Amino acid sequence: MKRIAAALLIFCCIALPAFAANGYELWLPYHKVNNTVLAQQYTNTFKAAFVPGSSATVEAIRKELSLAIPKLTGNAPVWNSASSNSRLLILRFDALKKIDVRAKLQPPPSHKEGYSIFTTSMNGASRLIVTANTDEGLLYGTFHLLRLLQSGKSIQALNIVEAPKLDVRVLNHWDNLDRHVERGYAGQSIWNWHTLPGYIDQRYIDYARANASVGINGTVLTNVNANALVLSEEYISKVKALADVFRPYGIKVYLTARFSAPIELGKLKTADPLDPEVQQWWKNKAAEIYRAIPDFGGFLVKANSEGQPGPQNYNRTHVDGANMLADAVKPYKGIVMWRAFVYSNEVPEDRIKQAYNEFQPFDGQFRSNVLVQVKNGPLDFQPREPFHPLFGAMPKTQLMMEFQLTQEYLGFATHLVYLPLLQKEVLEANTFTGNKPNPVKQVLTTKVSDSAVSGIAGVANIGSDLNWCGHPFAQANWYAFGRLAWNPDADAKVIAQEWIAQTFALKNQASAPIILRMMLRSREAVANYMTPLGLTHIMGNGHHYGPAPWSDNLPRPDWNPVYYHRADSTGIGFNRTASGSNAIAQYSPQVAAQWNDPKTCDENLLLWFHRLPWDFKMKNGNTLWNNLCLKYQWGVNEVRTMREEWKQVEQAVDPMLFKQVAQLLNVQEQEAVWWKNACLLYFQTFSKKPFPQGVEKAGKTLEEYKKMRFPYAPGNG
Ligand code: BDP
């Protein structure tokens, strides 16, 4: 018996370090600070901490510090009951002002979520102060402070003033009530609807902590392909249980509203938005939800898109539909996020033009509590797309951005792709609308009216996997989404550095820049081994796994890859200039002028806008065919470099994590090679040209690639 116990003990001791690196703690592992000077500085500061108040949010702040500080410093924080003798003060500004009227204070910004962190002398002694106008501001300030501690920064002389640049910073969960996550690659939905409301999984709390730590202040719990059931009385009580968990962390819940819910739940004959009974049904439903959840955020709606019901079923418009819901939630300060991801079943129009065509004419007609949620890219979250032409084209409508964090089109959860680089490309893109520089990020942050709220959404990459996101590096995309949502001006590289510093307990600091290089490399790598030079949407049908540029068997032409690349013996690409679909005319004249000419068009968007012969001469003097081949090869080579870089950090990272990422990078390399070979062999049937020097031979035949089937690829449907 004793021997078993001893063996168990040894086993636990061996198992523990590995458990610590399983990724569950995300970027909040609070690793022990190994710099003794800093550890002492932190310990001293937290030896006398004054965090007054009894609200649930202040409780959450104290709880977080009680968790973090002992792990970071080895010493628990000591809570003072008075400000005198306290080295750290975390309290609201109105209370702070009363403590020492002569002290030099850094007031927080007026924004309700803003805060300031500064060092000053109070009553003759040096103090570290976190202050804000609200408890949420204090929470964000506390997490900022913890970020500094986790990154090994000195906190002796601080002067930080922060406020978010966007109001609504939400995750969109494409989670079904049966726990299947549409386009989810990290397990099941974390919402266990069956055991709610009685059972509160610790995960819900940890999810809230993680979001609050990066400033995410909302969560849409359910799939855009919505189920009306979530609006039933039974489910509202489950949603309320989650809302109660999230509230202390400044997070509001939102639900997707199925447009036909009045018929399905309310047994009405119609869901016509102009029908008074329908309007009343939604008003009653809103009242019912707000009775249970007074700070309910509002609705997200996918209507008349990919088979979802909507106002057009009744010959009404998106404006009629959105405004009806907006009126229902307005008394409670709720909002409606109405998606612009629509394309018509009937019109044989270039698919990427359709959202603009349908929405732009409605500029100025939406209620002020409606945000039109525009996907990144006029098509659909591809590895690279030009910015959506609606940005800048609806100056009287509040538009919000929808980024996709789950990697539906970027290698699922097996490819390491650091998405903020892709996102920054778009946020910084200049729309040139209004005859002035007007980057997409400015369109998002500019309020179109005094009562408007601004926003941004990220389609979550979170599931029940132990490490939440499947790929350990996919956590960086969740982290960075929050940071960019807070401040779209932020630098993607700096965010990656922050994430690395907090997440990994690196045994040597020389490894951090190597990991950073891998992450920075990953964005161009994926665009090149999947869809270089502006190619798009050439993945497998339905599940979207792997390459299938030959696919042409789906009923709608614009669901098939052949529709997008249009390769034949005369060339490749989609002509979107005036002589083609003229999608280019949806952009401002400056932007259109640049992209209209293949000589001035960004090469990485070339085949998005142009159809060109295989021997078209590109800027480097090489033909289009040769460039295409070399780009694919370059993408593959970059993944190989990432693999080599990861090997260099083996000694610095946890062994289990090392092995996990090493294996995933092997898969990524194999899949990059698969993409390159399958696409080039297929395009070669039209170009009839050999691979140029430097491009590896394909290991399989085109027929072999075409035969590959993946009936159980995850995330589908
Ligand atoms: C597509 C996805 C599909 C989503 C749709 C959407 O394949 O699963 O429902 O977008 O965003 O990219 O509505």
Side-chain angles (χ1 to χ4, degrees):
M1 197 59 195
K2 254 188 196 162
R3 230 180 273 159
I4 298 176
L8 260 178
L9 192 73
I10 293 171
F11 173 78
C12 290
C13 294
I14 297 169
L16 263 182
F19 179 75
N22 65 24
Y24 180 81
E25 291 167 318
L26 297 159
W27 48 88
L28 301 171
Y30 302 124
H31 294 300
K32 184 109 206 279
V33 178
N34 46 28
N35 175 322
T36 46
V37 177
L38 283 176
Q40 196 55 50
Q41 190 192 103
Y42 300 166
T43 301
N44 287 343
T45 306
F46 282 91
K47 234 186 224 163
F50 180 57
V51 188
S54 58
S55 75
T57 299
V58 172
E59 286 295 340
I61 292 173
R62 279 195 294 259
K63 246 196 222 159
E64 194 65 26
L65 293 173
S66 298
L67 172 78
I69 302 306
K71 286 173 134 197
L72 285 160
T73 67
N75 300 299
V78 179
W79 307 115
N80 274 5
S81 54
S83 61
S84 51
N85 298 331
S86 294
R87 302 207 180 126
L88 171 71
L89 289 82
I90 301 179
L91 79 175
R92 296 235 205 157
F93 193 61
D94 44 9
L96 176 70
K97 278 188 299 194
K98 292 184 195 141
I99 291 176
D100 178 352
V101 284
R102 291 152 311 164
K104 200 161 166 268
L105 303 178
Q106 175 60 268
S110 60
H111 193 289
K112 66 180 185 331
E113 296 174 311
Y115 56 86
S116 58
I117 307 176
F118 57 97
T119 32
T120 191
S121 167
M122 261 189 160
N123 296 327
S126 166
R127 324 275 177 185
L128 174 60
I129 290 172
V130 179
T131 190
N133 295 314
T134 64
D135 288 352
E136 284 74 38
L138 294 179
L139 179 74
Y140 293 135
T142 303
F143 274 115
H144 189 136
L145 183 62
L146 285 171
R147 189 154 60 236
L148 299 178
L149 265 55
Q150 285 212 96
S151 319
K153 300 269 163 50
S154 168
I155 52 169
Q156 245 161 11
L158 298 176
N159 190 6
I160 296 163
V161 182
E162 277 277 343
K165 296 202 171 132
L166 288 162
D167 300 324
V168 176
R169 308 177 295 278
V170 284
L171 287 177
N172 287 184
H173 288 265
W174 286 359
D175 295 16
N176 293 340
L177 300 183
D178 64 2
R179 300 193 75 178
H180 172 71
V181 182
E182 183 157 342
R183 310 310 176 183
Y185 312 103
Q188 283 193 301
S189 169
I190 55 174
W191 319 131
N192 189 340
W193 294 105
H194 181 68
T195 56
L196 279 165
Y199 180 73
I200 299 299
D201 194 323
Q202 176 62 31
R203 257 198 193 240
Y204 305 152
I205 302 162
D206 292 331
Y207 168 85
R209 290 174 48 234
N211 280 328
S213 77
V214 292
I216 292 170
N217 65 1
T219 176
V220 185
L221 300 173
T222 45
N223 193 353
V224 285
N225 295 319
N227 185 337
L229 197 59
V230 79
L231 302 176
S232 67
E233 194 186 339
E234 186 194 350
Y235 274 81
I236 290 171
S237 73
K238 296 169 189 275
V239 174
K240 171 189 162 30
L242 288 174
D244 290 345
V245 173
F246 299 157
R247 188 170 300 110
Y249 292 92
I251 296 163
K252 285 187 179 179
V253 298
Y254 300 77
L255 292 173
T256 46
R258 186 162 163 86
F259 204 77
S260 51
I263 302 173
E264 287 152 37
L265 285 184
K267 306 290 172 232
L268 300 189
K269 285 202 186 62
T270 174
D272 180 347
L274 298 195
D275 183 299
E277 259 192 285
V278 171
Q279 294 171 351
Q280 194 54 46
W281 188 87
W282 281 110
K283 283 188 176 144
N284 294 347
K285 190 46 78 180
E288 183 188 344
I289 296 174
Y290 279 95
R291 266 195 306 275
I293 310 164
D295 56 352
F296 178 67
F299 295 122
L300 168 66
V301 189
K302 171 176 179 177
N304 293 119
S305 165
E306 299 184 328
Q308 293 300 305
Q312 291 173 349
N313 297 28
Y314 308 95
N315 292 323
R316 311 298 184 196
T317 67
H318 287 292
V319 172
D320 297 329
N323 287 352
M324 172 197 58
L325 287 174
D327 291 343
V329 294
K330 189 168 169 127
Y332 318 94
K333 298 200 167 57
I335 59 165
V336 170
M337 297 171 279
W338 190 269
R339 294 176 92 223
F341 177 66
V342 298
Y343 53 98
S344 156
N345 291 336
E346 291 80 29
V347 191
E349 172 66 289
D350 178 356
R351 177 170 144 187
I352 71 148
K353 290 174 68 177
Q354 296 185 25
Y356 180 102
N357 288 348
E358 275 198 48
F359 275 81
Q360 201 284 331
F362 294 135
D363 188 25
Q365 296 182 40
F366 290 97
R367 297 277 193 269
S368 65
N369 59 335
V370 173
L371 289 99
V372 173
Q373 180 164 314
V374 181
K375 259 192 191 185
N376 178 34
L379 179 55
D380 194 358
F381 302 137
Q382 298 298 298
R384 178 169 270 124
E385 297 191 36
F387 68 86
H388 201 296
L390 277 175
F391 290 117
M394 296 184 74
K396 290 184 252 149
T397 306
Q398 198 70 41
L399 301 185
M400 68 187 283
M401 172 67 88
E402 177 178 323
F403 283 131
Q404 193 182 44
L405 312 181
T406 189
Q407 290 169 229
E408 175 182 358
Y409 298 103
L410 290 99
F412 293 7
T414 31
H415 292 210
L416 190 170
V417 183
Y418 180 55
L419 295 175
L421 295 168
L422 176 162
Q423 294 157 354
K424 278 298 278 185
E425 228 171 77
V426 179
L427 292 170
E428 298 295 334
N430 199 340
T431 65
F432 281 107
T433 43
N435 287 324
K436 57 177 184 347
N438 190 17
V440 171
K441 62 181 184 186
Q442 193 172 304
V443 174
L444 299 178
T445 53
T446 305
K447 303 266 183 79
V448 302
S449 72
D450 290 344
S451 55
V453 290
S454 57
I456 189 164
V459 180
N461 60 356
I462 297 165
S464 59
D465 275 8
L466 197 52
N467 72 0
W468 303 82
C469 301
H471 199 303
F473 277 77
Q475 296 181 355
N477 293 330
W478 176 7
Y479 176 87
F481 169 72
R483 302 288 290 131
L484 271 183
W486 182 275
N487 179 12
D489 293 325
D491 184 338
K493 185 173 155 189
V494 173
I495 295 175
Q497 283 167 324
E498 276 177 10
W499 178 77
I500 294 167
Q502 293 172 86
T503 304
F504 303 116
L506 293 175
K507 295 198 189 86
N508 68 58
Q509 281 316 305
S511 302
I514 302 176
I515 297 176
L516 177 68
R517 276 204 294 279
M518 286 172 62
M519 292 170 76
L520 298 184
R521 210 181 281 293
S522 64
R523 188 270 172 280
E524 279 307 318
V526 72
N528 281 284
Y529 65 70
M530 285 188 178
T531 49
L533 298 177
L535 283 176
T536 197
H537 207 287
I538 54 174
M539 67 285 147
N541 278 339
H543 51 61
H544 297 166
Y545 175 56
W550 47 80
S551 271
D552 62 356
N553 58 355
L554 288 182
R556 290 186 54 147
D558 55 5
W559 280 351
N560 287 311
V562 294
Y563 170 91
Y564 293 98
H565 63 69
R566 308 196 160 201
D568 66 17
S569 60
T570 65
I572 182 169
F574 200 128
N575 181 0
R576 295 193 158 109
T577 67
S579 61
S581 79
N582 204 21
I584 219 155
Q586 293 182 338
Y587 291 95
S588 68
Q590 289 95 318
V591 174
Q594 190 196 334
W595 286 341
N596 196 44
D597 181 349
K599 295 256 176 288
T600 55
C601 182
D602 296 301
E603 282 196 341
N604 57 27
L605 292 174
L606 195 62
L607 301 175
W608 179 282
F609 287 114
H610 299 278
R611 181 177 166 71
L612 298 166
W614 295 106
D615 55 7
F616 174 78
K617 267 270 173 56
M618 296 196 33
K619 282 179 198 141
N620 62 4
N622 223 333
T623 62
L624 172 61
W625 167 251
N626 281 355
N627 269 298
L628 187 69
C629 295
L630 288 162
K631 287 282 182 194
Y632 268 110
Q633 184 67 50
W634 183 86
V636 170
N637 296 348
E638 285 291 281
V639 180
R640 290 184 181 145
T641 306
M642 285 159 61
R643 221 170 42 169
E644 291 313 307
E645 284 167 335
W646 187 245
K647 283 186 191 148
Q648 290 170 32
V649 304
E650 178 164 11
Q651 300 310 320
V653 299
D654 175 88
M656 190 168 96
L657 174 77
F658 177 79
K659 199 168 143 198
Q660 218 179 343
V661 175
Q663 290 183 71
L664 288 166
L665 284 168
N666 283 344
V667 175
Q668 187 171 1
E669 191 258 357
Q670 284 156 16
E671 296 193 352
V673 169
W674 168 32
W675 268 93
K676 162 195 155 293
N677 289 343
C679 293
L680 289 182
L681 287 175
Y682 170 72
F683 292 135
Q684 194 176 37
T685 63
F686 303 112
S687 80
K688 308 254 187 281
K689 293 174 195 297
F691 293 177
Q693 213 186 357
V695 177
E696 289 159 14
K697 273 209 197 99
K700 290 187 179 156
T701 64
L702 178 59
E703 287 319 305
E704 285 173 300
Y705 285 120
K706 281 187 174 179
K707 274 201 205 117
M708 292 168 75
R709 293 286 177 276
F710 310 96
Y712 302 115
N716 206 0

